[in-house]
């Protein structure tokens, strides 16, 4: 691919030229989301359960654990993603062997999304009325049974709604990661659309990202609605 | 056989240091099998904390609670299952149907699935909701939800049923039907029922015994019928003084009575023994388990000694009202 000639030749691009660039980039974006999201959920949801239950009204109150966890999450959330990406480059190299491409983006993206995802899950769990959990306790449930049979199932519609938000946040993150060498639609939009004034490319990338976000939002909403029984 | 519930010197403080709040300041009592006991008191009296100590939601600072001889401090899960709790309002899981809400304690206890379903259905039948097992709480009325809550509380065949403000917030008809259900349960299953309530009427309607709490201590206890025939706070709560007519040139008396002990025509018979018939200035009569219990305010030319002598043998409790009184 001619790195320098494209600026002038952009008007001559055919549909296939675009497809040739967009399809792999879409694949890279989906790969990033597909790897980062499950890891984030797998870590974030249990963290939220710990966070809420070590709290004052939780099932196993533990002030110091709660506070440490809370501070770590707040610190994690307050670091701008772009800075975090640069800061964890050594860690990325250590874990995945590179700081570039999809693999390189996975570590910072996961690190960035876990804190906010944890808070999202926590706020959904908090919506379960206290007397419902207490009734479960008085019904003879052990703590683990209360988490598994009362807290999580009761919070499920909210958890799904907020997972939708978390997923879209990760999609946003992949676009930002594109700015620092991660590839994907974000990279395409920036390097072709912005740096090389290819408005068509910019539009294509934005439209695809919007469609993805809308798709996630609509299916999340529909699922949450179906799960809600009140 | 030990009493069903024994509470010994129960103390609960919230917080520490100078800001410490004493919710229970050493409460002791026992509750006999198959009785209905109302624990009454204004908000902040400690009755809620007492309820939460009994169903293990709150750990007491000191003291001991035993249920059917077993200390609550040990084997907590098993002991929790000996007590069924009915909560105020809806504590049902919104995403479980009525049947599955009743199933919850059985799932916790690891009861075999088909056996558990049969038991849950049987309980819904018992509370009169046999046909609503598939309904979600949002599709049920307040009274129906409370019935599901009762069925859930009974799932593990508890020996004690604890109703914590179980009728608060229900309308009159729903409240009456929930109370009737509790009465039936006591009769059919021989349950020991503890009602925590700030509604004296509820206590009057179904309880055998009452325990009045104020500021973390028991101030009165006993059979409700005895309490309403004594100078007691329980009585004053059940029969609050109401305005009555005045008879300035006569003595005014408040006469308490219970119809099972007192001849129904006591007003006429007492009048016959006095120089002049009694004038009725006001009256409050309530039903207490089929018995008319209440008081009359009467005026008479007779002095206190004379009327007490005349009323002797009728089982009346006569007290003169001073002009400053009421």
């Amino acid at each position: 691919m001619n790195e320098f000639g494209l600026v002038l030749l952009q008007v001559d691009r055919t549909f296939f030229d675009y497809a040739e660039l967009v399809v792999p980039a879409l694949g890279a974006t989906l790969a990033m989301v597909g790897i980062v999201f499950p890891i984030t959920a797998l870590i974030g949801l249990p963290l939220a359960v710990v966070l809420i239950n070590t709290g004052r009204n939780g099932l196993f109150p533990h002030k110091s654990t709660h506070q440490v966890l809370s501070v770590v999450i707040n610190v994690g959330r307050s670091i701008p993603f772009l800075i975090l990406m640069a800061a964890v480059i050594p860690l990325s190299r250590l874990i995945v062997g590179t700081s570039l491409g999809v693999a390189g983006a996975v570590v910072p993206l996961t690190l960035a999304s876990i804190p906010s995802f944890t808070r999202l899950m926590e706020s959904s769990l908090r919506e379960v009325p206290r007397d419902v959990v207490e009734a479960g306790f008085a019904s003879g449930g052990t703590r683990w049974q209360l988490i598994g049979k009362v807290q999580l199932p009761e919070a499920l519609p909210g958890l799904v709604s907020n997972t939708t938000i978390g997923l879209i946040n990760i999609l946003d993150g992949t676009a930002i990661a594109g700015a620092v060498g991660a590839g994907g639609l974000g990279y395409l939009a920036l390097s072709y659309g912005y740096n090389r004034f290819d408005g068509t490319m910019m539009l294509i990338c934005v439209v695809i990202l919007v469609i993805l976000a809308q798709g996630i939002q609509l299916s999340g909403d529909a699922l949450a609605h179906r799960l809600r029984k009140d | 056989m030990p009493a069903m519930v024994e509470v010994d010197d129960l103390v609960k403080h919230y917080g520490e240091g100078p800001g410490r709040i004493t919710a229970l300041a050493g409460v002791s009592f026992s509750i006999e099998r198959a009785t209905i006991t109302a624990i009454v008191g204004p908000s902040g009296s400690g009755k809620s904390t007492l309820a939460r100590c009994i169903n293990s939601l709150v750990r007491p600072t000191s003291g001991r609670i035993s249920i059917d001889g077993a200390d609550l401090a040990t084997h907590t899960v098993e002991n929790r299952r000996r007590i069924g709790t009915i909560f105020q309002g809806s504590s049902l899981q919104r995403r479980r149907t009525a049947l599955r809400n009743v199933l919850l304690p059985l799932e916790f206890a690891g009861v075999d699935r088909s056996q558990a379903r049969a038991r849950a259905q049987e309980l819904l039948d018992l509370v009169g909701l046999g046909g609503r097992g598939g309904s979600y709480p949002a599709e049920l009325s307040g009274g129906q939800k409370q019935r599901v809550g009762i069925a859930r509380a009974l799932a593990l065949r508890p020996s004690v049923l604890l109703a914590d403000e179980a009728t608060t917030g229900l309308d009159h008809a729903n409240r009456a039907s929930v109370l009737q259900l509790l009465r039936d349960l006591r009769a059919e299953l021989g349950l020991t029922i503890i009602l925590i309530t700030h509604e004296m009427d509820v206590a009057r309607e179904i309880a055998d015994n009452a325990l009045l709490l104020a500021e973390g201590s028991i101030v009165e206890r006993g059979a409700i019928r005895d309490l309403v025939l004594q100078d007691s706070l329980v009585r004053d709560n059940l029969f609050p003084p109401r305005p009555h007519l005045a008879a300035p040139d006569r003595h005014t008396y408040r006469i308490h009575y219970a119809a099972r002990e007192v001849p129904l025509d006591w007003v006429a018979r007492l009048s016959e023994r006095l120089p002049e018939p009694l004038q009725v200035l006001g009256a409050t009569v309530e039903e207490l388990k089929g018995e008319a219990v209440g008081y009359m305010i009467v005026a008479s030319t007779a002095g206190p000694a004379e009327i007490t002598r005349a009323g002797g043998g009728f089982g009346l409790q006569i007290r003169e009202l001073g002009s400053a009184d009421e």
Side-chain angles (χ1 to χ4, degrees):
Chain A
M1 208 178 300
N2 185 337
E3 285 278 317
F4 301 101
L6 280 172
V7 178
L8 300 170
L9 294 172
Q10 58 172 290
V11 284
D12 297 332
R13 267 187 214 278
T14 63
F15 171 79
F16 293 102
D17 291 333
Y18 280 114
E20 206 168 57
L21 289 166
V22 168
V23 171
L26 176 62
T29 293
L30 292 179
M32 279 189 274
V33 174
I35 296 167
V36 171
F37 171 67
I39 301 173
T40 302
L42 235 52
I43 296 173
L45 183 59
L47 272 183
V49 169
V50 171
L51 197 59
I52 198 144
N53 285 312
T54 50
R56 210 152 57 93
N57 293 327
L59 292 169
F60 28 88
H62 198 276
K63 207 170 169 183
S64 51
T65 307
H66 183 79
Q67 280 174 341
V68 168
L69 197 55
S70 196
V71 166
V72 168
I73 287 169
N74 287 344
V75 168
R77 280 220 306 172
S78 56
I79 301 173
F81 179 53
L82 214 62
I83 293 169
L84 184 81
M85 282 220 59
V88 300
I89 283 175
L91 186 68
S92 282
R93 289 205 177 117
L94 194 73
I95 297 176
V96 291
T98 173
S99 66
L100 293 173
V102 170
V106 163
V107 173
L109 259 178
T110 309
L111 278 180
S113 52
I114 287 172
S116 62
F117 192 81
T118 303
R119 286 289 184 209
L120 284 169
M121 296 298 102
E122 184 203 5
S123 79
S124 302
L125 287 169
R126 209 173 282 289
E127 275 169 34
V128 178
R130 194 176 160 193
D131 56 352
V132 171
V133 180
E134 286 187 343
F137 184 82
S139 299
T142 63
R143 285 158 181 177
W144 293 111
Q145 285 176 324
L146 292 176
I147 293 169
K149 285 189 183 286
V150 181
Q151 281 184 334
L152 290 173
E154 275 301 283
L156 193 60
L159 291 172
V160 168
S161 281
N162 278 345
T163 297
T164 307
I165 297 173
L167 203 50
I168 291 172
N169 285 346
I170 293 173
L171 187 64
D172 276 357
T174 62
I176 298 171
V180 275
L185 289 169
Y187 165 74
L188 213 55
L190 287 169
S191 61
Y192 288 80
Y194 181 69
N195 293 335
R196 296 176 199 173
F197 308 104
D198 185 345
T200 313
M201 182 59 94
M202 181 64 99
L203 191 66
I204 290 172
C205 291
V206 168
V207 165
I208 292 176
L209 284 170
V210 167
I211 290 172
L212 284 176
Q214 279 295 323
I216 294 168
Q217 187 71 56
L218 290 176
S219 38
D221 287 350
L223 183 59
H225 182 75
R226 264 190 47 194
L227 293 169
R228 223 173 267 285
K229 299 295 180 194
D230 52 349
Chain B
M1 210 161 22
M4 182 52 89
V5 179
E6 276 184 89
V7 173
D8 188 25
D9 199 19
L10 200 68
V11 175
K12 176 66 191 177
H13 301 303
Y14 289 107
E16 280 164 23
R20 188 177 80 171
I21 295 163
T22 300
L24 292 174
V27 168
S28 303
F29 60 91
S30 61
I31 290 175
E32 295 304 319
R33 269 153 229 277
T35 55
I36 301 183
T37 302
I39 296 177
V40 290
S43 56
S45 59
K47 60 183 192 308
S48 221
T49 301
L50 178 57
R52 295 167 71 81
C53 286
I54 294 173
N55 65 17
S56 299
L57 285 174
V58 160
R59 200 182 289 269
T61 308
S62 67
R64 193 174 147 273
I65 302 174
S66 66
I67 304 294
D68 207 1
D71 195 330
L72 269 194
T74 54
H75 304 104
T76 46
V77 173
E78 286 79 1
N79 276 332
R80 244 153 54 207
R81 291 174 182 164
R82 289 167 185 264
I83 301 165
T85 306
I86 313 166
F87 290 83
Q88 176 181 359
S90 176
S91 59
L92 300 179
Q93 283 182 241
R94 294 163 299 178
R95 296 194 56 254
R96 278 179 171 246
T97 59
L99 185 78
R100 291 194 58 233
N101 265 290
V102 179
L103 269 174
L104 186 74
L106 299 159
E107 289 176 12
F108 284 158
V111 175
D112 166 75
R113 225 182 145 68
S114 61
Q115 231 179 329
R117 286 190 82 86
R119 170 84 183 137
Q121 184 57 49
E122 181 189 311
L123 285 162
L124 282 179
D125 291 339
L126 181 71
V127 299
L129 287 173
R132 300 301 303 271
S135 304
Y136 286 94
E139 299 158 356
L140 299 171
S141 74
Q144 287 172 328
K145 279 188 258 194
Q146 204 52 286
R147 284 161 176 274
V148 176
I150 293 173
R152 177 180 63 185
L154 292 173
L156 296 174
R157 302 178 200 277
S159 19
V160 175
L161 191 60
L162 177 71
D164 188 3
E165 298 285 0
T167 55
T168 305
L170 293 184
D171 62 33
H172 192 77
N174 273 320
R175 197 185 76 166
S177 81
V178 166
L179 292 180
Q180 185 57 48
L181 176 60
L182 291 178
R183 245 188 305 250
D184 294 348
L185 289 173
R186 193 260 299 259
E188 284 167 31
L189 308 175
L191 277 173
T192 306
I193 300 178
I194 304 176
L195 288 170
I196 310 284
T197 181
H198 70 275
E199 297 171 316
M200 274 285 180
D201 301 20
V202 170
R204 191 198 74 226
E205 275 176 54
I206 88 164
D208 309 303
N209 303 307
L211 224 136
L212 183 67
L213 279 180
E215 290 169 10
S217 301
I218 297 176
V219 289
E220 265 173 31
R221 71 176 90 198
I224 290 195
R225 194 178 174 283
D226 295 342
L227 290 171
V228 298
L229 291 175
Q230 295 165 9
D231 273 321
S232 66
L233 292 166
V234 167
R235 183 181 77 182
D236 292 348
N237 269 293
L238 278 175
F239 301 106
R242 289 221 291 244
H244 54 80
L245 297 171
D249 51 342
R250 286 156 199 252
H251 296 279
T252 308
Y253 300 96
R254 185 159 75 175
I255 303 179
H256 279 272
Y257 67 98
R260 200 174 291 148
E261 288 185 349
V262 174
L264 281 169
D265 56 347
W266 65 267
V267 181
R269 286 166 64 174
L270 184 56
S271 294
E272 279 169 16
R273 298 185 183 185
L274 295 169
E276 271 184 51
L278 293 171
Q279 294 181 358
V280 177
L281 303 177
T284 300
V285 182
E286 298 276 4
E287 192 198 322
L288 184 75
K289 300 218 179 77
E291 184 178 16
V293 172
Y295 67 81
M296 257 187 208
I297 308 285
V298 296
S300 173
T301 50
E306 193 181 358
I307 200 161
T308 305
R309 194 167 51 244
F314 288 156
L316 300 171
Q317 198 209 30
I318 303 170
R319 190 150 64 98
E320 182 170 17
L321 300 178
S323 52
D325 196 1
E326 303 187 24

